[in-house]
Amino acid sequence: MLGTEERVLGRLHAEDLIEGIDHLLQALPAKQRELFDLIDLQGFAPAEVAEMLDMNPGTVRVHLFKARRRIRAWILERDPDLRKGSTR
C-alpha cells in the first residue's frame, strides 16, 4: 500500500503529465489534433473518419502518423526509460 507521500507525488506527476499532454495536443496542427482526437481519443475508425470529413483515407493515416510520432517523441523525451524495449 502506498503512503501519503507516494500518493501525493504520483498525483502531482499525473497532473503534470496531463497538463503537458494537453499543451502538446494544442501545439499540434489543427488537422492532426482533430484526427488524433477522433481516432485515438474518441475511438472512431480511420476509414470512418475519412468518410465523415470527406478526406482521402491515406491523408488521414499520414496526419495521424505525424501526430502520434510527435506525441511519442514528447513522452520519450520526458521519460527515456520508456524507450527500453520499445520498437521504433
Side-chain angles (χ1 to χ4, degrees), residues 36-52:
F36 181 82
D37 177 45
L38 288 169
I39 296 166
D40 286 343
L41 301 180
Q42 295 187 44
F44 289 99
E48 187 178 14
V49 171
E51 189 174 319
M52 284 181 353

Side-chain angles (χ1 to χ4, degrees), residues 63-86:
H63 282 295
L64 184 61
F65 172 79
K66 289 179 179 181
R68 287 173 174 170
R69 181 178 60 190
R70 192 167 178 182
I71 291 168
R72 180 180 185 274
W74 181 86
I75 291 169
L76 291 176
E77 195 177 284
R78 275 143 192 81
D79 194 347
D81 289 339
L82 290 175
R83 198 176 294 272
K84 297 175 185 169
S86 70

Side-chain angles (χ1 to χ4, degrees), residues 16-73:
D16 185 46
L17 184 60
I18 290 168
E19 183 179 312
I21 291 172
D22 184 54
H23 176 72
L24 176 64
L25 289 175
Q26 296 306 314
L28 287 174
K31 190 55 68 178
Q32 289 180 20
R33 182 175 55 249
E34 178 182 28
L35 294 173
F36 181 82
D37 177 45
L38 288 169
I39 296 166
D40 286 343
L41 301 180
Q42 295 187 44
F44 289 99
E48 187 178 14
V49 171
E51 189 174 319
M52 284 181 353
L53 300 178
D54 194 28
M55 292 178 69
N56 181 303
T59 303
V60 168
R61 287 191 302 271
V62 168
H63 282 295
L64 184 61
F65 172 79
K66 289 179 179 181
R68 287 173 174 170
R69 181 178 60 190
R70 192 167 178 182
I71 291 168
R72 180 180 185 274

